[in-house]
Amino acid sequence: MKKFVKEIVILLIQSAVFYLIPLFGMNENPMGMVLLIILLTFVLSLILGAVSKEKIKYLYPIVISVLFIPSVFIYYNETALIHALWYLVVSAVGMAIGALINKAVSKE
C-alpha cells in the first residue's frame, strides 16, 4: 500500500475535483466549470504519468471515468453521462504524455 501513495493522493484530489467543484460552482458558469474539470483531469493525469513508476497508473483513466458516474446523478442529469467518455480520453492522453515525459527524463 505504501508504494501506491502517489497514485492514491492524486486519485483523492481527482475525486475532490469531481465532487467539490460542482458543489460550489454550479450556479456561476456551468460550461466554464466543465472545462475547468476537464483541464484539471488532464493536469492530474499528466502529473501521475510523469511521477509514477508503477504499472497500476495505466488503470487511472478507467477509474476516473467510473469515478465520474456517481457525480452525474448527484449534480447533473443522465445526459451528462457522455462526459465520462471525455474524461476517459482526456486522462488517457494526459497519462500517455506524462509517461513519455517520464521516459525522456529517466533516459538522461
Side-chain angles (χ1 to χ4, degrees):
M1 198 67 179
K2 276 184 131 179
K3 67 180 188 176
F4 299 123
V5 171
K6 294 180 244 181
E7 290 85 358
I8 292 171
V9 167
I10 291 179
L11 193 61
L12 288 174
I13 293 170
Q14 182 69 49
S15 61
V17 166
F18 282 151
Y19 294 103
L20 293 179
I21 288 179
L23 185 65
F24 298 113
M26 195 66 154
N27 295 332
E28 298 299 321
N29 185 0
M31 197 59 188
M33 183 191 59
V34 169
L35 290 175
L36 175 68
I37 294 174
I38 288 175
L39 179 67
L40 289 174
T41 300
F42 177 75
V43 169
L44 287 171
S45 62
L46 182 76
I47 291 170
L48 184 66
V51 300
S52 177
K53 304 252 190 261
E54 304 296 327
K55 295 289 183 190
I56 197 167
K57 71 180 179 182
Y58 295 111
L59 292 176
Y60 183 75
I62 296 169
V63 171
I64 291 305
S65 62
V66 170
L67 187 65
F68 176 72
I69 292 173
S71 73
V72 168
F73 298 108
I74 295 171
Y75 297 113
Y76 314 108
N77 56 24
E78 291 80 22
T79 59
L81 278 174
I82 192 71
H83 293 299
L85 292 175
W86 289 38
Y87 293 121
L88 177 74
V89 171
V90 166
S91 60
V93 169
M95 184 66 62
I97 293 171
L100 289 174
I101 291 171
N102 189 358
K103 285 190 181 221
V105 169
S106 65
K107 280 188 177 181
E108 295 175 1

